[in-house]
Amino acid sequence: MRVSINDIQGMKEKGKKIPMLTAYDYATAKAVDEAGVPLILVGDSLGMVILGYESTTPVTIEEMLHHTRAVVRGSNRALIIGDMPFMTYYHTDLALENAARFIQEGEAQAVKVEGGERVADIVRKIVEWGIPVMGHIGLTPQSILALGGYKVQGKTPDTAKKLLNDARALEEAGVFSIVLEVVPGPLAHLITQRLTVPTIGIGAGSFCDGQVQVISDILGLFPDFVPKHARQYANILEVMKNAIKSYISEVSQGTFPTPSQSFPLDEEILSGL
Ligand code: KIV
C-alpha cells in the first residue's frame, strides 16, 4: 500500500518530520523508496539535473510523464507527485486535462503546481475532480525570468505578507501540502504554525513540517551548481568517475573481462568449425 495524503497529514499532526526527495528514474526511485522516503517528487528540476537545460521552463509534459512512469515502476510505497511543467496549467481546462494525464498516463498519486493566489481557483478545480495537489510558493523556478534570478523570497513586509496570503489561499483551495522554497526561516516557521496542512521546506529553515531536496544535490550528481540550502551526503559523480577510470584501465590492460565474465564453448565444437 502506498502512503496516502492522509498519512502525510497525520505526520504533521503527530509532529513527525516529513522527508521528501526528487527522483527521475526507476533505479533511483527504488533506492529512495526502499530507504523509506514517504514522498517522491518527479520534479521539473529534471530539466536541469537530468536533461541539461538551463532552467525548468523548457520541460514538456511528455518528458515529465515519461519519467513519472519510470519512478512509479521503481517504487511501491511512496506517494508519487508529478510536477506540472511551465504553462501546462495556466487555465482551468488545460490544468484539469494535464493533471489527469499525470494520474492516468503517469500513474502518479498527486500533482504539484507553482504559485499562490494566482493558481488558487485552478487548484480548487483539480482537487474537486479528485486529484491531490501540492502547492509551491516562494522561489518558484518556473517564474525565474520574472523573479530576476534565484533569490530569497519574502524578505520585505509586503512580500512576506504576500507569501502568507498565498499559503492561506492554497490551503483554502484544498492543497494537501505546500512547498516553501528559499524563504527566510522565521517566515516559513510562522506560515507552518498558521497552516493546518504540512509545509515542506527547501531552503526555508528547520521549522517546516518536512524537507525536500533535489536528489542530485544531496548525492553529488549535478556538477554545475550546489545550492546553499543543500548538503552533500555523498559524491556519487566522483565514485562514478573513479569506477569508469578503473574500467578504462582494465580494458586497456586486457585484465577485463576475465573467464568469470565470459562464456565458454566446448573445444570439440570449436575444433569442428
Ligand atoms: O522541481 C523540483 O525539483 C522542485 C523541488 C525543488 C521542490 O520543485
Side-chain angles (χ1 to χ4, degrees):
M1 272 279 279
R2 285 193 188 264
V3 171
S4 71
I5 59 169
N6 297 344
D7 297 326
I8 299 301
Q9 182 64 38
M11 287 177 81
K12 171 159 183 149
E13 284 160 18
K14 290 187 198 109
K16 278 178 81 176
K17 293 279 188 187
I18 306 162
M20 167 166 151
L21 277 173
T22 65
Y24 316 97
D25 63 82
Y26 173 86
T28 314
K30 216 170 166 49
V32 175
D33 193 57
E34 287 178 6
V37 170
L39 285 178
I40 300 182
L41 172 70
V42 188
D44 63 357
S45 48
L46 162 82
M48 297 172 79
V49 300
I50 301 294
L51 303 178
Y53 299 148
E54 263 184 29
S55 76
T56 61
T57 55
V59 176
T60 66
I61 187 141
E62 301 305 335
E63 287 166 338
M64 288 302 302
L65 290 174
H66 177 75
H67 286 269
T68 302
R69 282 191 291 270
V71 168
V72 170
R73 287 193 292 270
S75 59
N76 292 313
R77 186 179 159 272
L79 189 155
I80 310 299
I81 303 150
D83 208 2
M84 295 187 67
F86 181 55
M87 296 308 272
T88 61
Y89 52 96
Y90 73 87
H91 66 75
T92 307
D93 290 347
L94 183 69
L96 279 176
E97 275 167 32
N98 285 326
R101 290 191 73 187
F102 270 101
I103 305 300
Q104 292 187 305
E105 296 173 44
E107 297 185 52
Q109 290 83 52
V111 296
K112 177 169 83 57
V113 298
E114 294 185 7
E117 286 178 305
R118 188 191 71 193
V119 296
D121 287 339
I122 291 170
V123 166
R124 188 172 295 107
K125 269 283 171 249
I126 303 176
V127 173
E128 270 172 23
W129 279 92
I131 300 175
V133 179
M134 174 177 269
H136 182 165
I137 56 174
L139 200 172
T140 44
Q142 290 173 13
S143 309
I144 201 63
L145 297 172
L147 295 175
Y150 295 91
K151 298 177 189 151
V152 182
Q153 304 296 306
K155 288 204 301 186
T156 65
D158 284 353
T159 56
K161 181 103 189 93
K162 165 128 184 50
L163 276 181
L164 177 60
N165 290 341
D166 280 340
R168 283 188 173 131
L170 288 172
E171 174 162 279
E172 195 265 321
V175 295
F176 73 95
S177 63
I178 302 179
V179 169
L180 302 177
E181 179 162 354
V182 191
V183 302
L187 176 62
H189 189 188
L190 180 138
I191 294 175
T192 301
Q193 286 172 323
R194 301 263 175 102
L195 293 187
T196 310
V197 295
T199 58
I200 311 286
I202 172 163
S206 61
F207 289 104
C208 293
D209 298 303
Q211 296 291 327
V212 59
Q213 287 286 313
V214 170
I215 188 124
S216 321
D217 292 337
I218 68 157
L219 295 185
L221 268 168
F222 185 59
D224 298 359
F225 170 68
V226 181
K228 174 177 156 63
H229 58 68
R231 178 178 293 163
Q232 266 194 10
Y233 291 86
N235 194 341
I236 302 293
L237 266 189
E238 263 324 290
V239 173
M240 283 167 72
K241 275 193 232 163
N242 287 337
I244 293 164
K245 281 183 193 158
S246 302
Y247 170 75
I248 295 172
S249 140
E250 292 196 354
V251 169
S252 310
Q253 289 162 20
T255 52
F256 175 86
T258 64
S260 65
Q261 287 101 27
S262 309
F263 305 94
L265 182 67
D266 278 352
E267 260 316 311
E268 250 178 65
I269 298 176
L270 203 56
S271 54
L273 293 176

